[in-house]
Amino acid sequence: KRFYSLKVAPKVSASATAAKVKLSPESQGLEITKLPNGLVIASLENFSPASRIGVFIKTGSRYETTTNLGTTHLLRLASNLTTKGASSFRITRGIEAVGGSLSVHATRETMAYSVECLRDYVDTVMEYLLNVTTASEFRPWEVADLQPQLKVDKAIAFQNPQVGVLENLHAAAYKNALANPLYCPDYRVGKITSEQLHHFVQNNFTSSRMALVGIGINHSTLKQVAEQFLNIRSGAGAPGAKAVYRGGEIRKQTGDRLVHAAVVAEGAVVGSKEADAFSVLQYVLGAGPLVKRGSHVTSKLAQGVAKATSQPFDVSAFNVNYSDSGLFGIYTISQAPDAGEVIKAALNQVKAVAQGVVTDADVTTAKNQLKANYLMSVETSKGLLNEIGCESLVSGTHTSPSAAAQKIDSVATADVVNAAKKFISGKKSMAAAGDLGNTPFLDEL
Amino acid sequence: AGGGRLIDRIRKWYYNAAGFNKLGLMRDDTLHEDDDVKEALKRLPEHLYNARVFRIKRALDLSLKHQVLPKDQWVKYEEDHPYLEPYLKEVIRERREREAWNRK
């Protein structure tokens, strides 16, 4: 049965040394194999009528340098450009004809190309997916026609003030790598060339940094596909720079009545025990509303800030983990005149937790919220695919939900207090946007 | 081999008889600009496009003066490169693909 019509298909015999990864019995149905060239293949056969397949690549905006900023943004938009096996028109019409969809999702460290379709048409969409990830041609005229789309994409994203604040936060907190913006800087729009895209793909889309994940597809099919078609570029590619935390602040005066501000310190690395503690701390402090239009009873931050101001506000703990660093802190949205009080009240709450004003009951509530949030996020096939993919990239294995819940339970109250202490004592970074007349600077906090 | 060389000689004779090489033009400069050719021209790399515009300008100038280039500057049959052909072929292939899809 001829599955795929890629013109570039080096014939590789099935390697006898492909290692099957041992998983705990709770990860039923999930099979992971690691090929000798470093590619990780994971699949979960759940017999659902729709399949979802993703190619996860350990690359992102952190691997850009100052000479090629914005390349990953354009790559995100370029997923439907002509490839060696199919023209742009054919990819679009072909995927539409079988009722599938192709999407790209990129963070600072991971890019995920995923397709979903009905099970019967998996072969067709898989062909397009492999074409797009390995054999894209980036024809100069197509790339040039795509550049105005960068502006549109950026404008849509920046309608949300949070996006701007988080970009500035990373630019303030780090010297390099993680400081690179997710969205193309304005001066680079129109200047990204096809050669830069090719160069980036050659250096970063290599087998040892990729994972092929499928849900609703059997393992041997995926393995055969991976061995035949994802062997194009081997090696580790260009290594990224190690992120260096510096702790700065960036303020953007826009005159908006609502001030968005984020104050963070360096947090935990993904997968470490500290990361679990910071996650629990995040939920102890309050990580978003659980009841719509409710009064945030369990959120320490919200309760603390409510005593400081009667104006509308929103506050939550901010936590993000990367492969060699992390950020933890608070994110506040407040009225411009109150901004100072809100931020100070929120920081005082964290200080209180660092001094031990946190009960075991608070920690248990937080753990339950964290577990519920995590488990609900892997309920959908999209969330599950992302979770399996990201974990395969980082560690090449999979933590079953019950093991993840156990890890969360093993966090002690003392760990939470230590995490809060680390935030209080760490060098802070800050980003703020809005009418900043009453927003304090970092040295005033 | 003999038959091949005969065809080549006829081709060369026809090329010289057509006469556009005396104005310094290459074959692809003289293509009628229909939609496919226009799209292919949009895809030409800059240096090829500039060379084409120069040759056409020079030919227009000569034609206006009712002159031709000196014999040593005529384009030789061997040097005439079909520079537009790969782009044109690709444009036509894409158009045919679109039409085939729309017909189904």
Side-chain angles (χ1 to χ4, degrees), chain A residues 29-47:
Chain A
L30 183 70
E31 297 176 55
I32 303 190
T33 316
K34 190 166 172 149
L35 294 185
N37 62 10
L39 181 69
V40 177
I41 311 164
S43 74
L44 174 65
E45 178 61 284
N46 59 0
F47 302 105

Side-chain angles (χ1 to χ4, degrees), chain A residues 179-244:
Chain A
N180 291 338
L182 277 173
Y183 292 93
C184 183
D186 289 334
Y187 74 91
R188 285 278 297 162
V189 173
K191 297 207 180 69
I192 306 178
T193 64
S194 159
E195 286 80 29
Q196 283 173 334
L197 290 176
H198 270 297
H199 194 69
F200 193 85
V201 167
Q202 292 286 18
N203 284 342
N204 287 287
F205 284 40
T206 60
S207 306
S208 58
R209 282 157 70 162
M210 299 216 267
L212 177 64
V213 186
I215 297 187
I217 184 171
N218 71 36
H219 198 70
S220 48
T221 319
L222 263 192
K223 191 149 168 268
Q224 187 186 13
V225 166
E227 280 167 354
Q228 273 191 299
F229 297 103
L230 281 180
N231 255 324
I232 309 258
R233 285 174 214 101
S234 57
K242 177 146 178 21
V244 178

Side-chain angles (χ1 to χ4, degrees), chain B:
Chain B
R5 281 218 301 275
L6 178 66
I7 293 290
D8 276 336
R9 281 172 56 191
I10 294 177
R11 280 200 185 124
K12 190 164 172 182
W13 172 85
Y14 185 81
Y15 182 83
N16 286 319
F20 55 77
N21 60 342
K22 297 178 188 150
L23 289 172
L25 291 169
M26 290 192 174
R27 186 206 70 167
D28 281 349
D29 298 337
T30 60
L31 287 174
H32 173 62
E33 268 190 39
D34 65 1
D35 292 330
D36 290 334
V37 174
K38 284 204 182 99
E39 177 63 35
L41 285 176
K42 277 197 212 131
R43 300 181 179 190
L44 266 187
E46 217 185 312
H47 59 283
L48 285 175
Y49 182 73
N50 291 341
R52 171 197 165 95
V53 168
F54 168 74
R55 284 193 299 271
I56 292 178
K57 236 188 203 175
R58 182 177 61 183
L60 284 171
D61 176 67
L62 288 170
S63 152
L64 149 115
K65 293 185 284 198
H66 292 281
Q67 285 175 5
V68 286
L69 289 175
K71 189 141 186 227
D72 55 335
Q73 285 180 23
W74 291 359
V75 180
K76 295 204 186 46
Y77 174 70
E78 296 79 16
E79 288 168 10
D80 190 327
H81 307 295
Y83 61 84
L84 194 59
E85 199 172 310
Y87 300 95
L88 190 57
K89 272 210 165 78
E90 183 61 24
V91 168
I92 294 177
R93 186 194 74 86
E94 284 177 13
R95 175 172 55 87
R96 290 224 179 100
E97 186 182 39
R98 258 201 304 277
E99 287 165 5
W101 268 90
N102 287 331
R103 236 180 293 133
K104 267 196 279 184

Side-chain angles (χ1 to χ4, degrees), chain A residues 77-382:
Chain A
L77 298 174
S79 61
N80 71 333
L81 294 189
T82 306
T83 67
K84 287 204 180 77
S87 71
S88 166
F89 173 81
R90 172 141 168 251
I91 294 178
T92 320
R93 287 298 192 95
I95 296 186
E96 280 177 7
V98 301
S101 73
L102 164 69
S103 62
V104 188
H105 182 72
T107 67
R108 294 193 147 81
E109 291 197 311
T110 320
M111 282 189 82
Y113 289 78
S114 66
V115 288
E116 56 162 343
C117 61
L118 290 179
R119 197 176 254 270
D120 307 327
Y121 303 111
V122 160
D123 308 337
T124 327
V125 294
M126 185 107 81
E127 177 194 345
Y128 295 129
L129 175 66
L130 292 169
N131 260 308
V132 166
T133 43
T134 59
S136 210
E137 282 185 1
F138 301 126
R139 293 182 171 176
W141 55 91
E142 287 184 352
V143 170
D145 285 341
L146 190 57
Q147 308 245 8
Q149 189 67 18
L150 286 169
K151 278 200 211 148
V152 174
D153 200 44
K154 199 173 172 186
I156 296 177
F158 276 68
Q159 280 183 322
N160 221 333
Q162 279 93 330
V163 173
V165 171
L166 290 179
E167 294 271 74
N168 281 343
L169 183 67
H170 283 83
Y174 291 100
K175 283 188 187 174
N176 59 356
L178 289 170
N180 291 338
L182 277 173
Y183 292 93
C184 183
D186 289 334
Y187 74 91
R188 285 278 297 162
V189 173
K191 297 207 180 69
I192 306 178
T193 64
S194 159
E195 286 80 29
Q196 283 173 334
L197 290 176
H198 270 297
H199 194 69
F200 193 85
V201 167
Q202 292 286 18
N203 284 342
N204 287 287
F205 284 40
T206 60
S207 306
S208 58
R209 282 157 70 162
M210 299 216 267
L212 177 64
V213 186
I215 297 187
I217 184 171
N218 71 36
H219 198 70
S220 48
T221 319
L222 263 192
K223 191 149 168 268
Q224 187 186 13
V225 166
E227 280 167 354
Q228 273 191 299
F229 297 103
L230 281 180
N231 255 324
I232 309 258
R233 285 174 214 101
S234 57
K242 177 146 178 21
V244 178
Y245 183 85
R246 70 173 169 103
E249 66 179 307
I250 293 185
R251 295 161 71 92
K252 189 161 171 221
Q253 172 66 23
T254 61
D256 281 342
R257 183 137 170 97
L258 280 180
V259 169
H260 288 247
V263 180
V264 298
E266 199 171 12
V269 169
V270 76
S272 66
K273 190 122 190 7
E274 253 194 324
D276 298 326
F278 270 108
S279 299
V280 176
L281 176 60
Q282 185 187 12
Y283 278 83
V284 164
L285 291 170
L290 292 156
V291 177
K292 268 191 200 166
R293 296 178 269 275
S295 53
H296 306 257
V297 167
T298 54
S299 163
K300 279 192 183 300
L301 287 174
Q303 297 300 313
V305 174
K307 295 196 186 88
T309 175
S310 56
Q311 298 283 321
F313 69 90
D314 192 13
V315 62
S316 65
F318 177 78
N319 180 22
V320 67
N321 308 97
Y322 297 109
S323 60
D324 58 358
S325 181
L327 291 175
F328 181 87
I330 51 158
Y331 191 102
T332 62
I333 305 178
S334 50
Q335 306 292 318
D338 285 340
E341 284 86 46
V342 167
I343 300 176
K344 285 187 184 135
L347 286 174
N348 283 338
Q349 280 299 310
V350 190
K351 221 174 268 178
V353 172
Q355 285 159 353
V357 180
V358 60
T359 65
D360 286 337
D362 290 333
V363 173
T364 315
T365 316
K367 283 183 193 170
N368 286 336
Q369 287 173 352
L370 175 58
K371 276 189 280 188
N373 205 326
Y374 170 72
L375 291 172
M376 283 197 250
S377 77
V378 296
E379 285 259 300
T380 65
S381 73
K382 185 169 179 187

Side-chain angles (χ1 to χ4, degrees), chain A residues 6-21:
Chain A
L6 279 188
K7 286 181 195 157
V8 182
K11 285 274 171 287
V12 176
S13 56
S15 44
T17 48
K20 226 168 158 42
V21 174

